[in-house]
Amino acid sequence: MSRNDVYQPVPGEENNPRWHFLHPSPSAAESVPMKSVDGEYASPLFPQPPGSRFSDRRHVDYILTYHRKAGGDQQKPPKTRYSLVRELRRSMRSSKAALTPKDPEINAQEQIEDHHEDDQQRRRNNYEQQLLEAGLELETHEGRNIPGVVFLKIHAPWNVLCREAEFMKVKMPTKKTYEVKQGSNIVEKIRQLIHKVTAPLHPKVSVTQPQDKKFLSHPFSREKQHLFDLSDPEKFFDTKTRSSIVFEVLKRTKCTEDKYPMGITSLLANGVYSSAYPLHDVNVEGVNAEPNDRKLLYEEWASYSVFYKYQPIGLIRKYFGEKVGLYFAWLGVYTQMLIPAAIVGVIVFLYGCATVDDNIPSMEICDHRNNITMCPLCDRACSYWKLVTACGTARASHLFDNPATVFFSIFMSLWAVLFMEHWKRRQMRLNYIWDLTGFGEEEEEEHKDHNRADYELEVMKKCEKQRHSTTKDEKVKLTCTDRLPAYMTVVAMMSFMIMVTFVIVFATILYRISIKAALHMSNNPSARSNIRVTVKGTASVIYIVIIIILEEIYGTVTRWLTTLEVPKTDKSFEQRLIIKNFIVKFVDAFTPLVYLAFFRGRLVGRPGNYLYVVGTYRMEECAHAGCLMELCIQLCITMLGKQLIQNNLFEIIIPKVKKRLRKRKSFTDPKHEQELNSTMQRHEKDHILGPFVGLNPEYMEMIIQFGMVTLFVASFPLAPLFALLNNIIEIRLDAKKFVLEMRRPIAAKAKDIGIWYNLLRGLSKVAVVINAFVIAFTSDFIPRLVYQYTYSPDGSMRGFVNHTLSHFNVSDFEPGTAPVEPMHLGHKVEVCRYKDYREPPWSSTPYELSKEFWVILAARLAFVIVFQNVVMLMSDFVDWLIPDIPKEISVQIHKEKLLMVEHFMKEEQGKGLPTRDSYIQDNFSAARHSSPQPRSRLTHT
């Protein structure tokens, strides 16, 4: 059934009294001409509407706004006394301009601006005329509260709602309800038990229907209106559905005034309209506020006082749509799954605290009797030092580098798999409850021709160039050759941005090296005693601040690059943008962590033969306890820094500042702002709110956090706890932002979280490999095992510290690199120690790698292989063991199909319509033999 078909009522429907109520006569159903309401209609006899209604109380389904200069015409209506006054004023201004000489450049600029304004107005008039022809009803309003802004109110009458709902295959509840039987297996009983125990944690949201009852849903059809409850047509389509239907019409309608047709997206991009948004419900604050879904969300979701409660996911979906509902459902599942991970991480950390006094390697480092002299940490400025001064670092390192770390890494790898499986089952349950089990197949086929405006524009340009070389029947589309310059630009710019990140990391390394040398040369004892803490802390903070600023710049660049590629559909555009942003943000967040984990301390060299960069900068070494402690500090600062700065600055302070600036810009008199705010209508209040920018930034923040929780969790067991605390605040912060700070988004349908699931699954796989390398190469877990079972004389860890230190003869220093103060310790040093497995200077092969080095390297590689394969095997087993679709959901989906066919047959017979036996039989047999996941379709005969 095409969109241009002329629909006729079903035979017999005209005799139904309800048909005449729902389908008025053509004279009553025709679109009402667009009115201009300038605010003067308000009077005691006819009060001003609250903004969510037309002047005659029709519901406002959508708002378009545009700016108009003072004195400018709106759409050139018939001349009235107001238009005559405007023309008189314009003639007076023109007469004055003729008498007063004016700069030619200024005059030309004003003419250009007037011509541009006329073009914009002509496009608006054409587009609004197209909307009227599509059946929408329009009304303009220019209030006094926000001067210069014109609001175009859009209302979709009943016949348009029915027509578009049938086009969009909107599933609506029928009159038929059926009992939902709960599963009887152990898992389902445990779930029901948990639900009863946690009843006080559920939000106080009224349920319209019992949980054991469910309405049968069916795609809306005007030929089958008898299946639906149309007793109250005003409430049959809720505000979410009405706004999405109107938005679909806006996307499909084109402005044909210019050479190339322009849809609503192009009109917004070219400034023809300044904004487009559906309306929120009425006010939520105040004792006298009317009860509505928005107020309920504000009280039971967007309040910090209910942080311990579950989210009202069903109400979120009802008000914001399935796509937003799925995001918050996923965020809730992720936060719940962080609770056991945080508990185990705290236990691992407490185990390290409890066993730090029994750790023999740290006890040997802290023992003054060992009197081990270490080689200088830098050239000339640094002198010899005693290993006992690293006692605090060694004890702190044991808190995170202990045998329990290996167990925690395995646990987190399995946790990631359980989280993914739990979410898939939760997602499938929501698909069943929200009637999305068949979404994504015919709907994608229906919307495949909805190309982006930029793509259609480029295709039209290509058609003009190839007008004489192509036939009329040949379909023109953009090929890879057409996009080749854009692809080359994307590769070049992405490589450049990644290189900028590498340069910043390298600059941070040079900063640490130079600051360390400067502090060693300082005469301040306190500065020399806290060198490591000062260098690590300041370098990490500086890097975080620079990266957060760069990420904002990179976000703009990646969007520009994606626009250059000219994707065909909005879905393709979003996926390409997500991939670019993920690559850039992943590199920004994890490059310093990868350097600390796998490169620092390994590209150093040895005393007498150090590796230098940029002339005289000697590569930095790890502390004696290893780089794991420094990796832990970097990860901790990165998590806290990004979460605190992004949450407090980018999600709280900056949006409030922008909202304040919009108010200042909208209100001409700031002194009367409070008074004006009390008299503003709903569409004016929503205009001041921030625009909805999509869910990608919210998802991206959580995906990067998921990477920090899983990729390097072996170095920081408290990462899940930090993530849990952040997410508890993040949920309420996002809720307050959606309810109070942003315009209401278009209700978009989605049956899953899209490409984000693939990114999560990829990160969980990479996490296994990275944690294996962190345990094997960054920590001392493998060297301790090799020493204990191979080189220890008594099978204990006594002597392990001495085993890891090599000897160096100070006479072998290169010229100009020896310490300036060799007597810093009060005695002459002839041999110093450094951490490495090398032959002593008195051997036949001095300073060469020893046999112990190769044994430990082989053990490390063997551990990586075994750890990776064992954990992967366990993960795949868990994935196979847990089905993606709960069994009771599969049964209910199959049962719903059969009940829908039976209900359809009964309603057809009850209405006296043809039973269409063949149709029923075909659908009945298809329902019996089809897979339980996809829903059955009732095709038109």
Side-chain angles (χ1 to χ4, degrees):
M1 186 178 292
S2 64
R3 299 183 184 273
N4 298 322
D5 292 342
V6 177
Y7 289 87
Q8 301 294 335
V10 180
E13 283 287 302
E14 299 90 334
N15 299 325
N16 189 348
R18 184 182 298 173
W19 172 265
H20 297 285
F21 173 73
L22 299 179
H23 302 270
S25 60
S27 60
E30 63 183 0
S31 300
V32 178
M34 184 172 60
K35 298 181 180 180
S36 177
V37 184
D38 295 329
E40 287 85 357
Y41 64 84
S43 66
L45 297 178
F46 190 75
Q48 189 173 6
S52 60
R53 299 278 179 176
F54 276 35
S55 57
D56 55 1
R57 315 304 294 174
R58 282 173 294 164
H59 190 274
V60 175
D61 298 317
Y62 214 83
I63 291 290
L64 295 179
T65 68
Y66 58 90
H67 293 277
R68 187 175 66 182
K69 293 183 179 180
D73 290 338
Q74 185 178 184
Q75 56 182 3
K76 298 182 179 180
K79 291 185 178 181
T80 62
R81 58 172 182 159
Y82 300 106
S83 60
L84 292 175
V85 170
R86 283 196 297 267
E87 289 184 0
L88 179 61
R89 290 176 180 174
R90 190 181 299 112
S91 62
M92 292 174 64
R93 287 197 300 267
S94 61
S95 62
K96 291 181 180 179
L99 297 175
T100 305
K102 185 180 292 187
D103 189 344
E105 293 185 3
I106 298 178
N107 190 21
Q109 182 66 28
E110 290 180 354
Q111 291 180 359
I112 293 174
E113 292 178 358
D114 293 340
H115 180 69
H116 177 70
E117 183 68 23
D118 292 340
D119 286 343
Q120 302 289 60
Q121 186 61 55
R122 189 169 60 253
R123 292 170 182 170
R124 282 193 292 267
N125 293 340
N126 181 272
Y127 184 70
E128 291 163 10
Q129 182 62 35
Q130 300 294 332
L131 294 180
L132 289 172
E133 293 177 2
L136 298 180
E137 299 173 1
L138 312 177
E139 181 179 270
T140 58
H141 176 265
E142 184 175 6
R144 299 172 180 174
N145 294 327
I146 307 180
V149 178
V150 180
F151 297 90
L152 178 64
K153 300 179 181 179
I154 303 177
H155 169 76
W158 172 258
N159 59 336
V160 174
L161 292 174
C162 293
R163 182 191 69 203
E164 297 299 324
E166 186 172 354
F167 286 155
M168 298 168 61
K169 296 183 175 61
V170 177
K171 294 189 73 174
M172 302 298 294
T174 63
K175 302 174 186 177
K176 177 69 175 179
T177 61
Y178 70 98
E179 183 179 358
V180 179
K181 295 183 179 180
Q182 303 296 334
S184 58
N185 54 11
I186 298 178
V187 177
E188 185 61 25
K189 289 182 178 179
I190 294 175
R191 191 183 70 83
Q192 296 177 13
L193 177 62
I194 294 176
H195 183 80
K196 292 180 180 180
V197 172
T198 59
L201 302 180
H202 292 277
K204 298 178 181 179
V205 178
S206 59
V207 181
T208 56
Q209 65 182 61
Q211 293 185 356
D212 58 345
K213 297 287 186 180
K214 188 176 184 296
F215 283 99
L216 285 176
S217 296
H218 187 270
F220 183 81
S221 173
R222 289 174 291 180
E223 297 178 354
K224 300 179 180 62
Q225 291 188 20
H226 56 275
L227 297 176
F228 307 96
D229 183 10
L230 300 178
S231 58
D232 188 358
E234 186 70 20
K235 296 182 180 179
F236 182 71
F237 294 107
D238 56 11
T239 57
K240 168 180 68 72
T241 306
R242 294 175 70 100
S243 62
S244 61
I245 287 176
V246 173
F247 181 68
E248 189 72 18
V249 178
L250 293 178
K251 285 197 305 181
R252 193 173 67 245
T253 306
K254 303 294 183 182
C255 171
T256 58
E257 182 68 22
D258 294 332
K259 183 178 181 180
Y260 302 110
M262 299 174 66
I264 185 61
T265 306
S266 300
L267 294 175
L268 288 169
N270 287 275
V272 178
Y273 293 100
S274 57
S275 59
Y277 53 90
L279 292 180
H280 274 295
D281 286 347
V282 295
N283 295 336
V284 298
E285 298 175 336
V287 181
N288 298 325
E290 299 178 5
N292 56 82
D293 291 340
R294 189 186 182 197
K295 180 177 175 59
L296 196 58
L297 286 172
Y298 175 72
E299 295 172 349
E300 295 295 330
W301 183 46
S303 175
Y304 291 108
S305 60
V306 294
F307 73 92
Y308 59 92
K309 289 187 176 182
Y310 290 104
Q311 301 180 86
I313 298 300
L315 188 59
I316 297 171
R317 174 252 179 178
K318 178 185 176 184
Y319 190 78
F320 292 108
E322 286 78 6
K323 196 169 186 178
V324 176
L326 277 176
Y327 164 71
F328 283 103
W330 173 83
L331 183 58
V333 170
Y334 173 46
T335 304
Q336 292 175 22
M337 290 294 293
L338 282 173
I339 296 176
I343 293 174
V344 176
V346 171
I347 293 174
V348 171
F349 177 75
L350 294 177
Y351 171 81
C353 295
T355 59
V356 65
D357 293 331
D358 300 329
N359 184 40
I360 295 177
S362 60
M363 292 171 60
E364 290 182 346
I365 294 175
C366 298
D367 192 352
H368 291 269
R369 294 173 297 177
N370 289 331
N371 196 28
I372 300 176
T373 302
M374 303 296 293
C375 295
L377 296 175
C378 61
D379 292 343
R380 296 181 61 80
C382 304
S383 186
Y384 307 104
W385 56 287
K386 292 294 185 179
L387 181 60
V388 70
T389 60
C391 175
T393 305
R395 291 173 62 86
S397 179
H398 178 72
L399 303 179
F400 306 100
D401 187 6
N402 54 69
T405 303
V406 181
F407 160 75
F408 189 60
S409 299
I410 298 175
F411 170 81
M412 288 303 296
S413 300
L414 297 178
W415 171 87
V417 178
L418 288 173
F419 163 59
M420 304 297 290
E421 293 300 317
H422 179 38
W423 166 244
K424 283 193 294 186
R425 292 171 63 85
R426 171 66 171 161
Q427 181 176 264
M428 194 60 206
R429 190 178 297 275
L430 291 177
N431 285 341
Y432 164 69
I433 297 174
W434 295 350
D435 295 315
L436 295 173
T437 50
F439 180 78
E441 300 168 3
E442 295 187 10
E443 285 76 4
E444 288 185 1
E445 183 71 20
E446 178 71 18
H447 294 86
K448 69 178 182 179
D449 294 330
H450 286 188
N451 300 331
R452 297 180 66 249
D454 294 342
Y455 178 85
E456 292 182 350
L457 179 61
E458 293 298 326
V459 169
M460 290 179 182
K461 291 180 179 179
K462 184 177 180 180
C463 288
E464 287 193 354
K465 293 180 180 178
Q466 301 177 354
R467 183 164 43 187
H468 302 291
S469 59
T470 58
T471 61
K472 293 183 179 181
D473 297 334
E474 185 177 353
K475 188 175 181 180
V476 179
K477 61 180 181 179
L478 297 184
T479 61
C480 293
T481 306
D482 299 325
R483 295 189 175 100
L484 185 59
Y487 290 154
M488 295 177 64
T489 305
V490 168
V491 173
M493 289 299 299
M494 293 292 293
S495 302
F496 174 75
M497 289 188 288
I498 293 174
M499 288 302 301
V500 169
T501 302
F502 290 164
V503 170
I504 293 174
V505 172
F506 185 69
T508 307
I509 296 171
L510 298 182
Y511 167 82
R512 284 199 293 257
I513 295 172
S514 57
I515 291 297
K516 183 190 296 183
L519 292 177
H520 275 289
M521 297 172 64
S522 175
N523 295 325
N524 189 348
S526 61
R528 301 186 66 172
S529 61
N530 299 302
I531 292 177
R532 287 190 178 274
V533 176
T534 303
V535 171
K536 296 173 188 175
T538 56
S540 299
V541 171
I542 291 173
Y543 178 79
I544 288 299
V545 172
I546 294 176
I547 285 303
I548 289 178
I549 295 174
L550 281 180
E551 284 183 354
E552 296 300 314
I553 301 174
Y554 288 169
T556 305
V557 175
T558 52
R559 178 168 289 275
W560 171 70
L561 292 175
T562 308
T563 305
L564 285 182
E565 295 178 352
V566 196
K568 184 176 182 180
T569 61
D570 290 333
K571 183 178 181 180
S572 176
F573 182 92
E574 185 179 20
Q575 289 181 349
R576 295 182 186 216
L577 181 62
I578 288 172
I579 293 175
K580 293 183 183 67
N581 280 330
F582 175 75
I583 293 174
V584 173
K585 290 181 180 291
F586 185 87
V587 172
D588 289 346
F590 293 100
T591 297
L593 300 177
V594 171
Y595 164 75
L596 288 174
F598 306 122
F599 295 99
R600 181 173 177 177
R602 290 170 178 80
L603 304 175
V604 178
R606 61 171 179 81
N609 188 23
Y610 283 113
L611 177 64
Y612 294 90
V613 293
V614 193
T616 59
Y617 287 94
R618 196 179 96 185
M619 289 298 293
E620 52 186 351
E621 304 177 43
C622 293
H624 181 270
C627 284
L628 195 68
M629 186 63 191
E630 299 182 8
L631 178 62
C632 170
I633 294 174
Q634 179 69 40
L635 183 58
C636 178
I637 293 177
T638 301
M639 287 192 68
L640 291 178
K642 286 179 69 68
Q643 292 174 358
L644 289 177
I645 294 177
Q646 286 184 343
N647 287 348
N648 294 324
L649 182 62
F650 290 98
E651 297 192 15
I652 298 179
I653 299 177
I654 290 182
K656 288 186 178 296
V657 171
K658 289 182 177 179
K659 183 178 179 181
R660 192 68 181 174
L661 292 176
R662 283 192 297 269
K663 283 187 175 182
R664 292 284 184 181
K665 185 178 179 181
S666 300
F667 297 140
T668 55
D669 190 358
K671 296 181 180 179
H672 300 91
E673 177 181 335
Q674 190 68 26
E675 180 182 352
L676 290 173
N677 190 41
S678 61
T679 61
M680 291 178 67
Q681 301 182 33
R682 180 72 267 154
H683 60 269
E684 294 174 323
K685 291 182 178 180
D686 286 3
H687 182 262
I688 299 174
L689 300 178
F692 176 67
V693 295
L695 294 171
N696 290 347
E698 312 297 338
Y699 272 116
M700 188 65 69
E701 181 183 348
M702 291 296 105
I703 294 297
I704 296 299
Q705 183 199 87
F706 179 82
M708 292 184 178
V709 168
T710 55
L711 293 182
F712 294 94
V713 72
S715 64
F716 190 39
L718 296 180
L721 177 62
F722 283 14
L724 174 63
L725 297 177
N726 172 79
N727 288 4
I728 292 175
I729 301 174
E730 179 76 17
I731 289 176
R732 307 304 163 181
L733 186 65
D734 287 347
K736 189 177 290 291
K737 181 171 61 176
F738 271 78
V739 174
L740 296 178
E741 303 294 334
M742 290 195 316
R743 296 170 187 161
R744 188 174 182 177
I746 298 296
K749 281 196 173 185
K751 66 180 300 182
D752 51 40
I753 60 176
I755 194 174
W756 300 109
Y757 180 83
N758 298 330
L759 294 177
L760 286 170
R761 195 168 185 85
L763 285 176
S764 62
K765 298 293 185 182
V766 174
V768 177
V769 180
I770 289 184
N771 281 296
F773 276 94
V774 168
I775 296 172
F777 288 89
T778 309
S779 71
D780 283 337
F781 177 74
I782 298 300
R784 286 197 296 263
L785 284 181
V786 172
Y787 174 79
Q788 184 175 1
Y789 294 103
T790 305
Y791 298 103
S792 176
D794 55 357
S796 67
M797 293 301 297
R798 291 184 177 86
F800 172 73
V801 174
N802 185 66
H803 177 75
T804 60
L805 297 176
S806 300
H807 298 78
F808 177 74
N809 193 332
V810 298
S811 61
D812 294 334
F813 272 120
E814 292 184 354
T817 60
V820 177
E821 300 179 3
M823 302 295 292
H824 174 71
L825 298 177
H827 60 87
K828 184 179 180 181
V829 177
E830 296 182 354
V831 177
C832 63
R833 310 290 295 275
Y834 62 99
K835 187 175 181 180
D836 205 349
Y837 292 95
R838 292 183 179 271
E839 298 291 342
W842 53 80
S843 69
S844 57
T845 55
Y847 307 127
E848 294 292 332
L849 295 174
S850 62
K851 183 180 71 173
E852 290 83 355
F853 171 84
W854 300 108
V855 171
I856 293 174
L857 178 62
R860 283 172 165 167
L861 294 176
F863 174 83
V864 169
I865 296 174
V866 173
F867 182 91
Q868 175 182 342
N869 285 277
V870 169
V871 174
M872 288 288 189
L873 182 62
M874 295 172 64
S875 301
D876 292 340
F877 176 74
V878 172
D879 190 2
W880 169 81
L881 188 65
I882 303 176
D884 295 344
I885 305 176
K887 183 178 179 180
E888 67 276 8
I889 297 298
S890 301
V891 174
Q892 294 293 343
I893 292 174
H894 186 66
K895 176 182 176 181
E896 187 172 321
K897 293 178 181 179
L898 299 178
L899 290 175
M900 188 67 244
V901 173
E902 295 175 1
H903 175 62
F904 174 82
M905 184 163 49
K906 290 180 180 179
E907 288 292 330
E908 290 281 289
Q909 293 175 349
K911 291 291 179 180
L913 299 177
T915 57
R916 307 178 187 180
D917 294 336
S918 59
Y919 167 78
I920 297 297
Q921 185 65 31
D922 292 342
N923 279 274
F924 190 84
S925 60
R928 285 189 174 276
H929 297 90
S930 62
S931 174
Q933 182 172 358
R935 72 174 184 218
S936 60
R937 292 287 181 178
L938 301 181
T939 58
H940 298 285
T941 56

